[in-house]
């Protein structure tokens, strides 16, 4: 039913709606990491559809098959009215044959179609809104999950057995690995590390062109490899004069017998320096070396050279280059994922400091936080089924913090009018606050340190009576406790002294 021009119009409309949806999605506030990642994936999905629509539109405009030009000629030619009538007739015939009661035959406007698409993607029922999957350890893009790669690393031959936190800090310090230990097992570990980081980066940052970052890393690697400045791989000098072994000046030797007196090891070293075969008996080595006297290497018999040395060296160099290229890619991935690595180290250190009970409480708190985020309504009503206190951000505090401060415990104070205090900290603080002081004043009792932790009126009254009796007992009475001394040195209290003095007996 649709013509080429109608298809072009539809594609133009689709591109405009896709740009509008991307703009709205980028401007929408995303308070959590999960919403941010889902939003980025949604924008990536819309962008891919935009590129696909643009490509189809270009194909229409190029008109390689000539159908668009033919259709325009039919509409603008001398028989445009007859063409219009024929198309109108085909439309009427189509609707007569079609069952309009069937919803499949009703065309849905593009605006409604895209609105339904966004709503279905953004819905959070049963994680339907998650456009990408993460493991529990990754925390939906917050942390790295390198446990499996850590096990592969510590099983490599010759590496130091470090803990997981040290591995997280140094997994990209590949230049510290000795060159002779970078074997096939190391290459397989490196490939697995790169594959994980590449896949994780695509999931965390879908709007980043990860493939382009890898290509840039490869270009930079090629330059540094040729210059010999790539970390962990210093440039090796290669050529005819830089082979393993020590050269020997043959000008002072007139026969191979004199060379044989140098011994097997010295002859082998001299042959290796020239790139010649170094095997055989003492006589064979001496004769082979003496044949090079006064000749250039190019003039020697090719059978004297070690045939497979150059090919093996080239093959080994290619293997080393492939391993070094993988290292360059890992360096680039680790550089981009720096914030996630720092967050992972902090998270692992925090979890290691928790007891099993605290870990369970933290998991419960995370579940409660996720539920509150998912079911929070637009009218500002906060989902708080456990009646947790609100924090500085206006949201319920974590459940583990709620338990840590003992906010699940309530303390009743009868002196304060049976007022309940939440948590031991608030309970201890209330003894110096106005409510408790007012209650003590009403009882006629001073609010001193003697009555700390006293919450019952009966206990406070009994303690006050006991304190009063003690005070009366300890009160200073001058007649009984003030002492005097007579002329004979006798010590008397004030009352006795005054009586004897009045009687003249002193």
């Amino acid at each position: 039913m649709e013509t080429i021009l109608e298809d072009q119009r539809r594609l133009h409309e689709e591109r405009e709606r896709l740009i509008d949806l991307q703009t709205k999605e980028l401007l929408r506030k995303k308070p959590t990491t999960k919403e941010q990642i889902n939003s980025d994936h949604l924008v990536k999905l819309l962008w891919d559809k935009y590129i696909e629509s643009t490509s189809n539109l270009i194909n229409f405009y190029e008109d390689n098959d000539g159908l668009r030009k033919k259709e325009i000629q039919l509409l603008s030619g001398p028989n445009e009215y007859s063409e219009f009538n024929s198309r109108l007739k085909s439309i009427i015939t189509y609707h007569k044959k079609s069952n309009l009661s069937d919803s499949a035959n009703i065309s849905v406007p593009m605006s409604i179609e895209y609105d339904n698409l966004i709503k279905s993607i953004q819905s959070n029922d049963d994680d339907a809104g998650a456009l990408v999957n993460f493991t529990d350890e990754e925390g939906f893009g917050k942390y790295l999950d390198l446990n499996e790669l850590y096990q592969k690393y510590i099983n490599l031959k010759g590496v130091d057995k470090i803990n997981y936190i040290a591995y997280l800090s140094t997994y990209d310090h590949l230049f510290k690995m000795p060159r002779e230990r970078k074997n096939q097992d190391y290459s397989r570990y490196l490939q697995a590390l790169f594959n994980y980081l590449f896949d994780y980066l695509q999931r965390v940052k879908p709007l980043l062109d990860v493939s382009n970052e890898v290509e840039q890393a490869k270009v930079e690697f090629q330059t540094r490899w040729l210059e010999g400045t790539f970390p962990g791989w210093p440039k090796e000098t290669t050529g005819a004069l830089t082979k393993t072994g020590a050269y020997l000046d043959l000008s002072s030797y007139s026969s191979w017998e004199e060379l044989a007196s140098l011994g097997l090891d010295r002859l082998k070293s001299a042959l290796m320096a020239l790139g010649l075969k170094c095997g055989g008996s003492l006589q064979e080595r001496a004769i082979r070396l003496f044949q090079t006297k006064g000749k250039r290497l190019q003039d020697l018999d090719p059978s004297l050279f070690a045939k497979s040395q150059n090919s093996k060296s080239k093959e080994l160099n290619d293997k080393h280059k492939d391993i070094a290229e993988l290292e360059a890619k890992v360096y680039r991935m680790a550089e981009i994922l720096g914030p996630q690595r720092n967050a992972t180290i902090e998270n692992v250190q925090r979890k290691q400091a928790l007891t099993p009970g605290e870990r369970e409480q933290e998991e419960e708190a995370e579940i409660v936080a996720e539920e509150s985020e998912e079911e929070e309504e637009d009218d500002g009503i906060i989902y708080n089924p456990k009646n947790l206190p609100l924090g500085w951000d206006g949201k319920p505090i974590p459940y583990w913090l709620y338990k840590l401060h003992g906010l699940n415990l309530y303390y009743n104070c009868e002196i304060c009018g049976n007022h309940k205090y939440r948590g031991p900290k608030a309970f201890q603080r209330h003894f110096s606050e106005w409510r408790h002081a007012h209650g003590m004043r009403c009882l006629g009792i001073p609010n001193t340190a003697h009555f700390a932790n006293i919450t019952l009126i009966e206990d406070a009254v009994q303690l006050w009576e006991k304190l009063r009796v003690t005070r009366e007992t300890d009160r200073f009475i001058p007649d009984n406790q003030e002492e005097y001394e007579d002329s004979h040195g006798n010590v008397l209290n004030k009352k006795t002294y005054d009586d004897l003095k009045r009687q003249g007996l002193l």
Side-chain angles (χ1 to χ4, degrees):
M1 286 294 298
E2 294 185 355
T3 63
I4 294 177
L5 295 179
E6 175 60 24
D7 288 339
Q8 282 185 308
R9 185 209 63 77
R10 181 179 56 80
L11 289 173
H12 277 293
E13 180 186 358
E14 186 175 11
R15 291 173 74 248
E16 291 178 1
R17 293 192 179 277
L18 288 170
I19 292 177
D20 181 61
L21 289 174
Q22 291 178 65
T23 305
K24 290 180 179 178
E25 185 62 28
L26 290 173
L27 294 176
R28 185 173 66 87
K29 291 184 178 180
K30 281 77 69 173
T32 62
T33 306
K34 180 177 180 180
E35 291 185 14
Q36 180 64 54
I37 293 177
N38 277 336
S39 176
D40 290 345
H41 277 276
L42 176 57
V43 172
K44 181 68 166 56
L45 176 64
L46 296 175
W47 177 253
D48 292 341
K49 291 178 69 66
Y50 177 83
I51 296 298
E52 181 183 358
S53 300
T54 304
S55 177
N56 294 334
L57 196 58
I58 292 174
N59 292 334
F60 278 126
Y61 277 110
E62 290 178 351
D63 196 20
N64 294 326
D65 51 6
L67 295 178
R68 179 175 178 271
K69 183 178 180 181
K70 182 179 179 181
E71 184 173 336
I72 293 175
Q73 289 177 351
L74 289 174
L75 293 175
S76 60
N79 300 322
E80 65 271 15
Y81 291 110
S82 60
E83 179 67 22
F84 173 78
N85 291 329
S86 64
R87 294 193 179 192
L88 179 60
K89 184 178 179 180
S90 63
I91 292 174
I92 294 173
T93 305
Y94 171 79
H95 283 288
K96 283 182 178 181
K97 291 181 180 180
S98 302
N99 184 12
L100 295 179
S101 61
D102 188 1
S103 60
N105 296 324
I106 300 176
S107 178
V108 179
M110 191 175 293
S111 58
I112 299 177
E113 178 183 349
Y114 276 93
D115 288 342
N116 294 335
L117 173 65
I118 298 299
K119 289 179 181 179
S120 63
I121 293 177
Q122 291 181 348
S123 62
N124 291 326
D125 297 333
D126 299 329
D127 289 338
L131 299 176
V132 62
N133 295 323
F134 290 92
T135 62
D136 294 338
E137 189 72 20
E138 290 172 340
F140 212 94
K142 293 181 181 179
Y143 315 114
L144 295 169
D145 184 8
L146 298 178
N147 289 285
E148 183 177 350
L149 293 165
Y150 167 68
Q151 295 297 329
K152 290 183 180 180
Y153 174 79
I154 61 176
N155 287 324
L156 292 176
K157 187 176 181 180
V159 301
D160 297 332
K161 307 303 180 184
I162 58 178
N163 56 31
Y164 184 54
I165 295 179
Y167 173 75
L168 288 172
S169 304
T170 61
Y171 75 85
D172 60 336
H173 294 182
L174 305 173
F175 53 87
K176 295 183 178 180
M177 176 73 73
R179 187 168 184 169
E180 60 273 8
R181 294 179 184 173
K182 296 182 178 181
N183 49 23
Q184 189 174 4
D185 292 336
Y186 174 78
S187 178
R188 284 195 292 266
Y189 156 74
L190 208 60
Q191 185 65 51
L193 177 61
F194 168 71
N195 291 340
Y196 171 78
L197 295 178
F198 185 85
D199 176 68
Y200 181 82
L201 193 57
Q202 284 185 322
R203 288 180 289 151
V204 172
K205 298 184 177 182
L207 299 180
L208 178 67
D209 192 351
V210 185
S211 300
N212 184 42
E213 294 289 339
V214 173
E215 290 301 323
Q216 289 182 3
K218 290 173 64 175
V219 172
E220 294 177 3
F221 162 74
Q222 294 293 341
T223 304
R224 300 182 69 181
W225 179 263
L226 294 176
E227 295 174 353
T229 58
F230 189 74
W233 298 90
K235 187 175 182 180
E236 292 184 348
T237 55
T238 57
L241 299 178
T242 57
K243 299 183 181 295
T244 305
Y247 285 93
L248 181 64
D249 186 9
L250 302 180
S251 60
S252 59
Y253 297 94
S254 58
S255 64
W256 65 267
E257 289 86 356
E258 296 180 5
L259 288 175
S261 63
L262 298 175
L264 287 170
D265 292 337
R266 185 65 185 90
L267 293 177
K268 180 179 179 180
S269 177
L271 290 170
M272 290 179 63
L274 296 173
L276 304 179
K277 295 179 180 179
C278 55
S281 62
L282 177 63
Q283 179 181 351
E284 292 173 348
R285 295 184 186 183
I287 294 174
R288 192 182 306 127
L289 181 60
F290 190 73
Q291 290 177 357
T292 64
K293 182 178 180 180
K295 296 181 181 180
R296 296 182 303 172
L297 291 178
Q298 298 90 312
D299 300 334
L300 296 176
D301 186 1
S303 62
L304 297 177
F305 291 92
K307 296 181 180 179
S308 60
Q309 183 176 1
N310 292 333
S311 60
K312 287 183 178 179
S313 177
K314 185 176 183 304
E315 182 181 356
L316 183 61
N317 186 55
D318 291 341
K319 289 182 178 179
H320 287 171
K321 185 176 180 181
D322 293 339
I323 294 175
E325 184 176 325
L326 274 176
E327 291 182 353
K329 296 176 183 178
V330 171
Y331 290 149
R332 178 59 64 89
M333 299 292 103
E335 180 183 357
I336 299 174
L337 293 173
Q340 282 79 4
R341 173 162 69 173
N342 295 334
T344 304
I345 295 174
E346 294 177 1
N347 183 52
V348 173
Q349 290 175 339
R350 181 177 54 81
K351 284 189 174 182
Q352 289 181 352
L354 297 176
T355 63
E358 290 174 340
R359 291 196 189 99
E360 293 179 0
Q361 293 176 2
E362 184 176 357
E363 292 175 358
E364 293 177 1
E366 291 177 355
I367 294 175
V368 171
E370 289 179 0
E371 292 176 353
S372 62
E373 290 175 0
E374 293 175 356
E375 299 186 10
E376 184 176 351
E377 300 178 359
D378 296 335
D379 56 0
I381 299 177
I382 299 175
Y383 180 75
N384 191 7
K386 293 185 178 292
N387 195 25
L388 301 176
L390 301 182
W392 61 269
D393 55 354
K395 295 182 179 180
I397 64 173
Y399 188 71
W400 64 268
L401 186 62
Y402 169 78
K403 296 280 286 186
L404 177 65
H405 289 288
L407 299 180
N408 57 327
L409 303 176
Y410 289 88
Y411 299 88
N412 186 39
C413 182
E414 187 179 5
I415 298 175
C416 297
N418 290 323
H419 187 79
K420 291 185 178 180
Y421 295 92
R422 194 173 195 173
K425 187 175 181 180
F427 175 70
Q428 292 294 335
R429 189 173 58 244
H430 99 279
F431 288 106
S432 59
E433 293 177 347
W434 68 271
R435 190 189 302 273
H436 193 81
H438 176 71
M440 295 292 285
R441 264 197 315 271
C442 293
L443 296 175
I445 303 174
N447 189 22
T448 60
H450 302 88
F451 299 92
N453 298 323
I454 301 296
T455 58
L456 297 178
I457 295 176
E458 182 181 357
D459 294 344
V461 172
Q462 291 179 357
L463 179 59
W464 174 238
E465 292 296 332
K466 183 178 179 180
L467 289 174
R468 290 175 62 182
V469 172
T470 305
R471 287 180 180 180
E472 288 293 333
T473 304
D474 296 339
R475 189 168 60 87
F476 178 73
I477 304 175
D479 292 339
N480 296 330
Q481 297 178 352
E482 192 172 357
E483 296 180 345
Y484 290 83
E485 185 177 356
D486 61 6
S487 58
H488 296 286
N490 298 316
V491 179
L492 307 171
N493 58 35
K494 182 179 179 181
K495 182 180 180 181
T496 305
Y497 181 83
D498 291 340
D499 290 345
L500 294 175
K501 186 176 179 180
R502 283 193 296 270
Q503 296 175 13
L505 298 177
L506 292 177

